Amino acid sequence: MFVFFRASLSLVPAVLISMLAPFATVKAEDSLQQVSQYAQLDSAPVTSVNQLSDVQLTDWAFQALQSLVERYGCIAGYPDGTFKGNRAMTRFEFATALNVCLDKVKQRIDAADITEMVNKGDLTTLQKLQEEFVTELATLRGRVDTLEPHTNQLEKQQFSTTTKLEGQLIIAVTDAFGDASRSGNGDDSNLAFSSRLRLNFKANFIKPKGKFPKDELLVRIQASNVINPIAPGNDARLSFQSGSNSTNDVFVSKLQYSYEPSEQVKILVATGSNTYFDDWDVINPLKSDADGAISRYGRYSPIFRLGGDTGIGVTYKPNRNIKVEMAYLAKNTNNPASGLFNGGYGALAQIVFYPNQKDTDTKIAFTYVNAYNDNGLGHNTGSLASNLGGREVSSNSYGIETNVKVSNGFQLGGWLAYTNARALSGEVKGDADIWSWAVTLAFPDLGKKGNLGGIIVGMQPKLTGSSAELSGLPRRDPDTGFHIEGFYQYQINDNISITPGLIWLTAPNHNEQNGDIFVGVVRTTFKI
């Protein structure tokens, strides 16, 4: 029995009784793990009942909730801003809510801040509630007492009190077969073993009073020796291959700072390889290079790769159905001769539509990219001709990307991209058209929670026509090759996953004179 139930302190709001009393007969027996999950729901304080999106003025318990939230602060919602008032409640969960409310009332009593008196019947009801749940309340207090020394130990052993360290190690075994030589000499590829290590240091400088404003600084250190399994060419590049650095040199691969003043706006400034697209919505649930697609092409539309590696991006969400994203990324910004605005760049704009506010997996996006590069387009996928390498190129690209959540275990998506490019240097100048497309099938939680199955079928970038025979390039790619990819990411535990996969390339480099190529991959990912 709490000490504050002495006769001189018997001042408990009647609304607390009316709100909690109907649950006193709950009989379900549940594990302490459920208690822990429930206790974590109040991740952000709720100061107004209007913050709970699923609570309406017409609900029978609206006034009780309003009083508990706004007068006593002892009710909190779920992280998604809902209360879920129709969800069944266990005895342990009820005890958790009861304990919070009792503590809040005691604080008011101690501060002599109670303005409502209760009658003897109400006090008797609350006392019966305490007696009914005395076991659960004692269990909760015991868990809190046990938690404190564990918390102190974690604080002493953590990497830093201000910076969070996340590590990721990829170990891959790969082999290419078929016409892997690209010369008609068959398979001249051997079994290869490679790895990539990333250390992400994350720090925050703003201590938010609520959810916003918030910020994050990311510093990434990387070392990799992953190389293209088929050379020359781009169509067999792996998703976790990082640029041209393949000698395990340690370097800073990304610096990124994001600031979110509100739920509607996010500003990101970054430099490094593939700077923006860890956060950009590329509309593909298979985009992760550590847990998703095993090919570079399978991650997202190649038009997202046009441009530089240093710049700024802004995301604006006017409502829950629309998101607008814009970015400017420049190349060689450390060179005073080019700087931010006198060299290669990519200016991107995208509108994302969410038909159903409650289903963020179903969406469609329209993307536009204006880019300039002094050495071809630089998407480094598809045929060699489609990259227009070795010349200055300006381009306008247009893309449609979509993904539909058909069920909890299946999502269907894909993209279509078109680039109109103009060669600005070389003996012959002219226009060129490049097309690409893909269909993606995602199978979340296939076999067990955390697993992911994926199938990607598409056509990597293909030069479909040009206004003149650009020096060193054909007017068009002679044939059409297809990219067929399948993988299955099996989650061993929270920190380890293994992903076997296969890439099948028909008519590589969009040329039927090249035999089919198969690339087998077994990727193991470790995370801390």
Side-chain angles (χ1 to χ4, degrees):
M1 190 69 65
F2 287 107
V3 296
F4 60 89
F5 284 115
R6 294 173 298 181
S8 59
L9 295 177
S10 302
L11 304 175
V12 183
V15 67
L16 180 62
I17 309 298
S18 63
M19 180 61 191
L20 297 179
F23 300 105
T25 58
V26 177
K27 299 300 181 182
E29 300 295 335
D30 293 273
S31 67
L32 292 179
Q33 181 180 5
Q34 290 174 298
V35 182
S36 176
Q37 293 172 345
Y38 183 78
Q40 295 172 2
L41 295 182
D42 56 342
S43 56
V46 176
T47 57
S48 170
V49 72
N50 294 327
Q51 292 177 248
L52 302 172
S53 60
D54 59 342
V55 175
Q56 306 298 324
L57 183 63
T58 54
D59 291 337
W60 67 271
F62 179 83
Q63 291 184 342
L65 276 174
Q66 185 178 40
S67 183
L68 287 173
V69 169
E70 299 180 3
R71 294 182 56 191
Y72 303 103
C74 64
I75 293 294
Y78 283 77
D80 63 358
T82 62
F83 183 68
K84 303 188 189 303
N86 293 323
R87 190 181 71 82
M89 181 181 253
T90 69
R91 289 179 61 86
F92 276 120
E93 290 172 339
F94 175 78
T96 303
L98 175 62
N99 191 50
V100 171
C101 285
L102 290 175
D103 285 346
K104 292 290 185 180
V105 173
K106 181 179 183 300
Q107 292 173 10
R108 289 295 183 91
I109 293 174
D110 290 343
D113 192 24
I114 292 296
T115 58
E116 290 190 21
M117 302 292 291
V118 297
N119 58 41
K120 185 176 180 180
D122 290 337
L123 179 59
T124 301
T125 301
L126 187 57
Q127 290 173 333
K128 287 182 178 180
L129 281 174
Q130 273 197 282
E131 294 170 358
E132 170 72 16
F133 289 89
V134 63
T135 301
E136 288 82 359
L137 289 170
T139 301
L140 289 173
R141 294 191 200 100
R143 289 178 62 84
V144 172
D145 293 340
T146 304
L147 184 62
E148 289 181 356
H150 287 299
T151 302
N152 293 333
Q153 182 180 5
L154 288 173
E155 289 178 348
K156 292 178 181 178
Q157 295 178 348
Q158 66 181 332
F159 167 74
S160 169
T161 57
T162 58
T163 303
K164 181 181 179 181
L165 171 64
E166 295 178 350
Q168 180 193 95
L169 173 64
I170 293 177
I171 296 175
V173 177
T174 61
D175 195 8
F177 47 99
D179 189 15
S181 66
R182 288 191 181 274
S183 61
N185 296 325
D187 180 8
D188 61 356
S189 175
N190 296 304
L191 189 69
F193 178 89
S194 58
S195 61
R196 188 191 73 185
L197 173 66
R198 284 179 171 175
L199 297 177
N200 292 326
F201 298 87
K202 296 182 178 181
N204 307 101
F205 302 100
I206 297 176
K207 187 176 182 180
K209 297 179 181 179
K211 291 184 178 181
F212 301 96
K214 62 181 180 180
D215 71 339
E216 181 182 84
L217 173 67
L218 167 65
V219 179
R220 173 178 293 166
I221 296 176
Q222 177 173 300
S224 174
N225 65 356
V226 182
I227 65 174
N228 190 350
I230 303 294
N234 297 305
D235 39 9
R237 292 187 64 172
L238 301 174
S239 60
F240 46 94
Q241 178 183 342
S242 302
S244 59
N245 192 312
S246 59
T247 57
N248 265 336
D249 293 335
V250 178
F251 67 105
V252 177
S253 66
K254 176 179 287 190
L255 291 173
Q256 176 178 292
Y257 178 74
S258 62
Y259 174 67
E260 297 180 63
S262 66
E263 185 178 2
Q264 287 76 36
V265 179
K266 180 177 181 179
I267 303 169
L268 184 139
V269 180
T271 181
S273 58
N274 292 334
T275 16
Y276 198 70
F277 302 113
D278 286 345
D279 296 280
W280 188 280
D281 199 342
V282 295
I283 324 294
N284 185 9
L286 309 177
K287 77 170 186 176
S288 171
D289 59 359
D291 304 308
I294 58 174
S295 72
R296 177 182 176 92
Y297 181 69
R299 294 188 63 197
Y300 44 75
S301 173
I303 67 173
F304 288 116
R305 300 187 184 277
L306 305 179
D309 56 12
T310 300
I312 184 171
V314 178
T315 299
Y316 174 60
K317 295 185 286 187
N319 55 54
R320 295 185 179 181
N321 293 103
I322 298 176
K323 178 168 64 176
V324 180
E325 296 176 303
M326 296 174 289
Y328 176 85
L329 302 174
K331 294 186 67 174
N332 302 321
T333 56
N334 61 326
N335 186 344
S338 56
L340 280 168
F341 304 108
N342 198 33
Y345 73 89
L348 304 91
Q350 177 170 273
I351 299 178
V352 185
F353 294 94
Y354 299 86
N356 185 347
Q357 294 182 3
K358 297 181 180 180
D359 179 12
T360 57
D361 292 318
T362 297
K363 48 197 168 184
I364 183 171
F366 300 91
T367 308
Y368 169 72
V369 184
N370 175 263
Y372 165 80
N373 198 345
D374 59 4
N375 186 19
L377 288 172
H379 55 75
N380 293 324
T381 58
S383 69
L384 294 172
S386 73
N387 281 269
L388 304 178
R391 70 203 76 232
E392 292 182 64
V393 177
S394 66
S395 61
N396 292 287
S397 299
Y398 310 87
I400 300 176
E401 304 85 25
T402 188
N403 189 70
V404 178
K405 182 179 179 181
V406 180
S407 67
N408 289 334
F410 176 56
Q411 297 181 28
L412 176 65
W415 64 79
L416 174 66
Y418 165 69
T419 296
N420 176 254
R422 181 167 184 79
L424 304 176
S425 65
E427 296 179 3
V428 180
K429 301 177 178 63
D431 295 330
D433 298 321
I434 296 98
W435 287 87
S436 65
W437 60 268
V439 175
T440 62
L441 292 81
F443 304 90
D445 301 326
L446 181 62
K448 74 169 188 176
K449 186 173 179 60
N451 292 353
L452 176 64
I455 297 174
I456 302 163
V457 179
M459 181 187 76
Q460 294 202 30
K462 175 184 176 181
L463 178 64
T464 59
S466 56
S467 60
E469 187 157 345
L470 304 176
S471 56
L473 293 176
R475 292 287 296 270
R476 62 183 61 83
D477 283 318
D479 302 296
T480 299
F482 294 102
H483 175 108
I484 303 168
E485 174 181 345
F487 69 88
Y488 180 61
Q489 178 242 325
Y490 180 78
Q491 197 72 34
I492 298 175
N493 55 42
D494 291 340
N495 304 104
I496 305 174
S497 66
I498 184 168
T499 308
L502 180 68
I503 304 169
W504 175 16
L505 302 173
T506 70
N509 204 37
H510 293 303
N511 189 337
E512 290 184 352
Q513 292 184 0
N514 299 320
D516 290 5
I517 294 176
F518 301 86
V519 181
V521 179
V522 178
R523 177 186 61 202
T524 304
T525 304
F526 302 86
K527 296 180 180 180
I528 59 170

